[in-house]
Amino acid sequence: NAGVTQTPKFQVLKTGQSMTLQCAQDMNHEYMSWYRQDPGMGLRLIHYSVGAGITDQGEVPNGYNVSRSTTEDFPLRLLSAAPSQTSVYFCASSPIAGPTFYNEQFFGPGTRLTVL
Amino acid sequence: KQEVTQIPAALSVPEGENLVLNCSFTDSAIYNLQWFRQDPGKGLTSLLLIQSSQREQTSGRLNASLDKSSGRSTLYIAASQPGDSATYLCAVIPPGGYQKVTFGTGTKLQVIP
């Protein structure tokens, strides 16, 4: 099992550019999510999905789009990058959205994004 | 709104010392609480998941306790080693599930050889 994988590891964009951060998991997890991590702040939820074809907004969704056409993949799209989107982005998955006992989240290695 | 606080933000201890990391939360209506480890430039690795009905959970040199009534969880690390150096994060999962999870800002631990 590769677990949760993310590409790219690093990315530099100019203001206004668009790009897609890729996330994939091979554990057949229903629930997938995207977080951003900024200095001095806890991880904040951007978007999440409870299954293929079902997505919803988290705490900080503005400027981001997601889709989930398969169970395995959950890409995050930045429509028009802004310096405020400079951050480290993490994808995570869990068997279900929960809550149930023993339902842990598994995280990818992250994508470090800089917007100039 | 749930608030999760981890104090101190950074901690430096000599190798071999036993230590306690703290996680405080304001809303006691939680379902699970999860402790993670984050190494520099890496993702989060789950250490322990403690259920709201449990008082503690153990894995090797790690022991996590949970006191919902006081809004507090602690992560105890026995006989610390330089390899334990990392940032430790706690996450509070409410009855609403992971869609409503709240993370603390973490404690950066340095274990000095």
Side-chain angles (χ1 to χ4, degrees):
Chain A
N1 274 0
V4 181
T5 58
Q6 291 184 239
T7 57
K9 288 201 71 172
F10 302 94
Q11 184 70 49
V12 178
L13 294 177
K14 294 181 180 178
T15 297
Q17 288 185 315
S18 62
M19 79 158 295
T20 299
L21 306 180
Q22 301 291 345
C23 173
Q25 53 88 11
D26 61 358
M27 298 174 281
N28 201 33
H29 285 174
E30 285 187 1
Y31 182 78
M32 297 185 73
S33 56
W34 278 101
Y35 296 91
R36 59 178 289 172
Q37 185 178 39
D38 301 294
M41 305 184 74
L43 276 76
R44 292 181 293 168
L45 184 63
I46 304 172
H47 284 285
Y48 64 90
S49 169
V50 299
I54 307 169
T55 64
D56 207 343
Q57 297 180 351
E59 180 185 356
V60 288
N62 292 342
Y64 308 95
N65 271 358
V66 292
S67 60
R68 185 128 178 243
S69 55
T70 67
T71 299
E72 294 78 21
D73 300 299
F74 190 45
L76 178 72
R77 297 183 189 84
L78 279 71
L79 308 174
S80 177
S84 61
Q85 294 179 305
T86 294
S87 188
V88 182
Y89 292 84
F90 290 101
C91 179
S93 74
S94 63
I96 60 174
T100 64
F101 299 139
Y102 308 112
N103 187 29
E104 295 186 37
Q105 277 205 102
F106 297 86
F107 281 78
T111 294
R112 189 172 296 271
L113 175 69
T114 301
V115 182
L116 303 175
Chain B
K1 182 187 175 190
Q2 177 75 271
E3 292 183 9
V4 181
T5 304
Q6 292 185 251
I7 295 174
L11 182 64
S12 184
V13 301
E15 181 178 2
E17 191 164 296
N18 302 326
L19 60 101
V20 174
L21 304 180
N22 297 301
C23 173
S24 300
F25 47 93
T26 55
D27 186 348
S28 62
I30 73 169
Y31 198 85
N32 291 336
L33 188 144
Q34 194 167 1
W35 281 94
F36 293 90
R37 169 190 173 128
Q38 185 176 22
D39 293 284
K42 300 289 179 62
L44 279 68
T45 301
S46 180
L47 297 173
L48 289 165
L49 175 73
I50 184 164
Q51 303 162 20
S52 60
S53 59
Q54 295 177 315
R55 299 284 294 180
E56 63 179 58
Q57 188 72 261
T58 298
S59 176
R61 294 183 294 110
L62 305 180
N63 177 277
S65 68
L66 176 63
D67 185 344
K68 282 176 52 179
S69 61
S70 67
R72 188 168 178 235
S73 176
T74 61
L75 179 67
Y76 174 83
I77 303 177
S80 58
Q81 302 170 358
D84 295 329
S85 298
T87 297
Y88 291 81
L89 301 165
C90 66
V92 174
I93 302 104
Y98 281 113
Q99 300 94 314
K100 303 295 183 183
V101 65
T102 304
F103 282 85
T105 52
T107 294
K108 186 174 183 178
L109 173 65
Q110 182 182 26
V111 181
I112 303 167

